[in-house]
């Protein structure tokens, strides 16, 4: 019995630690003015991984709404949003990071999804609760890709 209590309290402590670690990750996103100046991850963004996330229909799916000239080999490019060519000349890295994390902070009422927002949904199916469309690393990857356009 005593063993069991020790095990159970050990697990509870571990669970709390995981919960705190998770919260810390979510609050790492610090908005300053109209951008997020600090990278979300320690690993620098990877252009090729970013390109894949942009194209992937279950990840960024950016081409559903945006044209990107360098991805001419891809079948369909939407026109709902502006072309992403030269976008890093129009915005700073910090601004682009915020647009990717939560575009609604910049474009009021936009239909562009928030790719890395963990709160703000009134109702979510349990399996989506706390999940984001892109991971923190994918946000950095997509940003790296956008800067090459
Ligand atoms: C459902 C449509 C939709 C999807 C999907 C979408 N966007 Fe957007 N995006 C928009 C719209 C619309 C705007 C213009 C802002 C507005 O007025 O709503 C925009 C604006 C932007 C801007 C600012 C461009 C500028 O020149 O002002 C960037 C950068 C951007 N999107 C990047 C992306 C990336 C990268 C992805 C994929 C990870 C993506 N978007 C996915 C609809 C979308």
């Amino acid at each position: 019995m005593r063993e069991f209590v020790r095990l159970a309290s050990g697990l509870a402590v571990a669970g709390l630690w995981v919960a705190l670690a998770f919260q810390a990750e979510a609050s790492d996103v610090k908005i300053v003015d109209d951008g997020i100046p600090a990278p979300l991850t320690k690993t620098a963004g990877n252009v090729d991984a970013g390109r894949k996330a942009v194209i992937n229909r279950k990840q960024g799916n950016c081409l559903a709404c945006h044209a990107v000239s360098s991805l001419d080999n891809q079948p369909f490019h939407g026109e709902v949003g502006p072309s992403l060519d030269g976008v890093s000349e129009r915005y700073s890295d910090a601004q682009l990071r915020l647009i990717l994390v939560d575009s609604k902070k910049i474009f009021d009422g936009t239909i562009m999804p928030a790719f890395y927002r963990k709160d703000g949904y009134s109702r979510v199916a349990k399996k989506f609760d706390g999940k984001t469309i892109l991971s923190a690393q994918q946000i950095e990857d997509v940003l790296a890709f956008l800067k090459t356009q």
Side-chain angles (χ1 to χ4, degrees):
M1 184 60 198
R2 193 181 290 160
E3 281 307 306
F4 174 77
V5 169
R6 198 178 293 155
L7 179 68
S9 60
L11 284 177
V13 169
L16 183 67
W17 186 81
V18 168
L20 287 174
F22 189 73
Q23 269 182 356
E25 197 210 332
S27 63
D28 272 342
V29 175
K30 288 231 163 42
I31 300 175
V32 180
D33 298 327
D34 62 352
I36 301 172
L40 304 185
T41 59
K42 292 201 175 74
T43 310
N46 178 285
V47 176
D48 289 331
R51 181 184 299 108
K52 285 189 189 128
V54 162
I55 295 170
N56 190 310
R57 301 279 168 203
K58 289 189 178 141
Q59 295 176 0
N61 196 19
C62 315
L63 299 181
C65 299
H66 294 282
V68 181
S69 297
S70 73
L71 300 178
D72 267 356
N73 58 339
Q74 295 297 315
F76 169 87
H77 293 217
E79 295 180 344
V80 180
S83 161
L84 297 181
D85 293 357
V87 78
S88 66
E89 284 155 24
R90 300 195 284 279
Y91 297 96
S92 69
D93 290 8
Q95 287 170 323
L96 283 176
R97 195 176 280 112
L98 178 55
I99 291 172
L100 293 173
V101 165
D102 188 357
S103 55
K104 279 140 187 93
K105 292 256 167 27
I106 300 281
F107 309 114
D108 202 24
T110 186
I111 59 161
M112 177 165 157
F115 288 99
Y116 193 72
R117 189 183 56 188
K118 292 185 175 171
D119 54 359
Y121 300 104
S122 47
R123 278 178 166 210
V124 256
K126 198 148 199 181
K127 69 172 181 168
F128 296 122
D129 198 11
K131 299 235 172 73
T132 58
I133 304 175
L134 294 179
S135 69
Q137 191 59 53
Q138 284 175 322
I139 294 287
E140 295 303 319
D141 295 343
V142 170
L143 178 57
F145 170 75
L146 288 181
K147 287 166 69 175
T148 65
Q149 298 309 298

